[in-house]
Amino acid sequence: GQPYRLVSESEFEFSLRAGSDTRYWWGDSAPRAKVENLTGERDSNAGPWQWPVAFRRYGDGHWGPAPVANYQSNGNGVHDLGGNVMEWLADCYRATLEGIPADGTPRSDGSCELHVIRGASWASPPDLARSAYRSSAKSGRSASIIGFRVARDL
């Protein structure tokens, strides 16, 4: 009976970084502990596949989506923002962050043909797992690497 919504890009950025200004929320290099479901060179699968580009000396035990909150939370106590699945956001996509609302609400100007996707997935190479990485897709797209998170205003 409560209203829920997709998270805005500003809310996602704040929640993911948790005060960090590093390449990833956990630091600037490959994780030293199991922090996210990411591409790791120690990951294995039932088939002959290997990651062509992966975090060195990292393995998280999953090839594909992992159960929610399977790894440690970030500094804000939030799980799975920098790995597992990329997340649909409420914002309309623009190539730059110029003009993004300062109040944290979603960007809704223009045609909104594309929406913002943020965060890394279980199949994202290290460059696409950066905290600053952002992408876009048309609203109807579905894939095993994309999910969503909802928020409720209190």
Side-chain angles (χ1 to χ4, degrees), residues 15-48:
S15 297
L16 171 67
R17 288 193 178 273
S20 73
D21 61 358
T22 54
R23 184 173 174 88
Y24 312 102
W25 69 258
W26 61 84
D28 285 318
S29 59
R32 296 176 193 215
K34 293 181 181 182
V35 295
E36 294 280 4
N37 184 9
L38 302 162
T39 56
E41 70 177 10
R42 293 182 179 160
D43 289 338
S44 63
N45 65 71

Side-chain angles (χ1 to χ4, degrees), residues 15-16 25 36 71-81 149:
S15 297
L16 171 67
W25 69 258
E36 294 280 4
Y71 306 100
Q72 72 182 55
S73 62
N74 70 7
N76 279 338
V78 183
H79 295 270
D80 306 320
L81 284 173
R149 183 178 305 257

Side-chain angles (χ1 to χ4, degrees), residues 2 9 13 23 26 31-32 39 44 48 50 57 65 70 72-73 78-79 86 92 98 104 108 115-116 129 148 153:
Q2 301 294 321
E9 187 165 14
E13 176 87 11
R23 184 173 174 88
W26 61 84
R32 296 176 193 215
T39 56
S44 63
Q50 291 182 323
R57 296 181 295 281
N70 205 41
Q72 72 182 55
S73 62
V78 183
H79 295 270
M86 300 171 80
C92 300
E98 185 177 324
S108 59
H115 279 266
V116 176
F148 63 94
D153 294 324

